[in-house]
């Protein structure tokens, strides 16, 4: 990236917001900014005008690698025939409680 | 052949109520139609800042000034959510802004009407944001994921815009004869343009049918318009205001307010650029952009300086 950037288009940053402390971060949209500091400030102004979040991550959009929809089947395949990974697969004899409360 | 199968799968997904995401396969016309629609929507939010920004300095109290500022800031945010959503389809921010600034892109015609008195600030929030909200609530159901999510955010914020507008009108209606007249005058001028915001009748709207089939729009122009009118007429009557439509009448059977002929010639004339404010809005938008150039340059220079220091 150089200063020769055309006038209106700074790099794109994806914005992730934590809505409440203790909660996971979720994607909310994107902003353009010259650097990370400005990206954070822009994200605050655009996505948290009403205290929608307690913390923000900004990530350069081109740093994100995503699975593709074409992958959908084969990529997630390894997980779809392993029912024994779920607790409901197991039969527990009557009269015993194994759930932790 | 391959595309035909994909098109069928695509349509099936939409018919099942699933959302389309940026990387999913989509017909070219779907992508183009959405970029056009989302960018027009974004431009409308940005240009929509101008008629109200015009009143921030002249708001009648500090409370009203804070409210007006917050509303205009929200509209800027709405524009940015929507540009961000349009960019997920491969449009660049630069191109979109360029099209707005050189007059190639359209924005909602409603912003080509002037805000003459303080009562217009009430009418805009009540009627213009009200109509926009009816449209935007329906667009939560759009088939394109990022557009739908932007609508959820926007609708959460619009309720305040609508209410503050109605509050201004209600205050004026409680005031002197002159103030009440101001409110009525604003309603007279903004009623028909607000109704036109939903666009021409579906039968005369070139993009409507395909947009509905692909779920880009979730509801037709006519039914949204009717929803807005039936919702808004009692709000006017409750303040003792008269809707400027001699043919307006309540249909007991359908429970809807029926309305008179819309002057579509006026609508198309304003779209063509002949509205009272078309030229001024475009000039002001360009000036706002150009006057901000030094800020963008400074931010870029600062980012570069920090980067070279680290290296
Ligand atoms: Fe808005
Ligand atoms: Fe609004």
């Amino acid at each position: 990236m150089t200063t020769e950037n055309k006038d209106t288009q700074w790099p794109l940053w994806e914005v992730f917001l934590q809505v409440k402390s203790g909660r996971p971060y979720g994607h909310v949209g994107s902003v353009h900014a010259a650097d990370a500091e400005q990206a954070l400030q822009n994200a605050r102004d655009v996505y948290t005008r009403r205290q929608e979040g307690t913390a923000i991550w900004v990530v350069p959009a081109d740093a994100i690698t995503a699975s593709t929809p074409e992958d959908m089947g084969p990529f997630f395949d390894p997980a779809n025939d392993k029912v024994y990974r779920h607790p409901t697969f197991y039969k527990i004899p009557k009269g015993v409680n194994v759930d932790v409360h | 052949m391959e595309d035909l199968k994909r098109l069928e799968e695509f349509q099936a997904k939409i018919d099942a109520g699933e959302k389309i995401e940026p990387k999913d396969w989509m017909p070219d016309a779907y992508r183009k139609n959405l970029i056009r629609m989302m960018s027009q929507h974004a431009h409308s939010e940005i240009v929509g800042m101008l008629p109200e920004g015009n009143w921030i300095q002249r708001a009648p109290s500090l409370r009203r000034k804070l409210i007006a500022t917050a509303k205009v800031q929200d509209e800027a945010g709405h524009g940015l959510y929507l540009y961000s959503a349009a960019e997920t389809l491969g449009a660049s921010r630069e191109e979109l802004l360029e099209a707005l600034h050189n007059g190639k892109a359209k924005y909602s015609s409603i912003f080509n009407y002037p805000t003459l008195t303080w009562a217009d600030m009430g009418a805009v929030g009540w009627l213009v944001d009200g109509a926009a909200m009816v449209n935007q609530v329906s667009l939560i159901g759009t088939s394109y994921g990022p557009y739908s999510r932007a609508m959820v955010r926007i609708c959460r914020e619009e309720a305040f815009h609508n209410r503050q507008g109605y509050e201004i009108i209600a205050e004026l209606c409680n005031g002197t004869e002159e103030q009440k007249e101001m409110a009525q005058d604003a309603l007279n001028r903004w009623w028909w343009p607000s109704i036109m915001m939903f666009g021409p009748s579906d039968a005369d709207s070139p993009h409507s049918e395909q947009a509905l089939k692909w779920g880009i729009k979730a509801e037709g122009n006519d039914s949204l318009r009717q929803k807005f009118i039936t919702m808004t007429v009692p709000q006017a009557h409750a303040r003792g205001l008269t809707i400027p439509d001699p043919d307006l009448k309540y249909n007991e059977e359908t429970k809807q307010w029926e309305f008179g002929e819309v002057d579509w010639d006026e609508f198309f004339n304003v779209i063509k650029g002949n509205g009272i404010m078309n030229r001024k809005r475009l000039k002001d938008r360009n000036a706002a952009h150009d006057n901000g150039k030094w800020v963008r340059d400074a931010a870029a220079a600062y980012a570069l300086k920090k980067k070279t220091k680290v290296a």
Side-chain angles (χ1 to χ4, degrees), chain B residues 19 136-144 148 151 215-218:
Chain B
K19 300 285 186 210
Q136 293 176 143
V137 166
S138 150
L139 277 172
I140 291 176
T142 181
S143 58
Y144 189 54
S148 167
M151 286 304 109
I216 293 176
K217 290 209 255 182

Side-chain angles (χ1 to χ4, degrees), chain B residues 45 74-75 78 129 136 154 158 161:
Chain B
E45 303 285 351
D74 273 356
E75 305 304 3
H78 296 175
D129 287 87
Q136 293 176 143
I154 287 181
E158 283 294 342
H161 299 182

Side-chain angles (χ1 to χ4, degrees), chain A residues 1 3 6-10 12 17 28-30 32 34-35 37-38 46-47 49-50 52 66-70, chain B residues 23-24 73-74 77-78 80-81 84 87 92-94 97 153 157 160 289 293 296 299-300 302-304 306-307:
Chain A
M1 179 206 342
T3 42
K6 286 262 202 82
D7 186 23
T8 55
Q9 182 137 13
W10 288 319
L12 187 68
L17 195 66
V28 287
S30 62
H32 285 268
D35 59 19
E37 187 187 344
Q38 193 197 19
V46 176
Y47 294 101
R49 285 189 304 285
R50 289 173 178 75
E52 287 93 339
S67 65
T68 66
E70 291 79 48
Chain B
K23 290 191 161 190
D24 291 349
Q73 283 171 336
D74 273 356
H78 296 175
L80 294 176
Y81 305 155
S84 159
E87 286 177 270
S92 85
R93 178 78 57 106
E94 208 171 5
L97 283 178
R153 232 160 224 291
E157 302 180 354
F160 130 61
H289 186 74
K293 187 173 186 303
R296 295 190 293 278
Y302 179 68
L304 185 75
K306 265 198 333 192
K307 210 173 154 192

Side-chain angles (χ1 to χ4, degrees), chain B residues 58-97:
Chain B
R58 295 179 284 158
S61 67
L62 180 59
R63 175 176 183 268
R64 288 293 172 196
K65 191 174 189 153
L66 289 171
I67 292 169
T69 309
K71 182 177 187 291
V72 171
Q73 283 171 336
D74 273 356
E75 305 304 3
H78 296 175
L80 294 176
Y81 305 155
L82 286 157
Y83 285 129
S84 159
E87 286 177 270
T88 62
L89 288 178
S92 85
R93 178 78 57 106
E94 208 171 5
E95 270 163 26
L96 298 178
L97 283 178

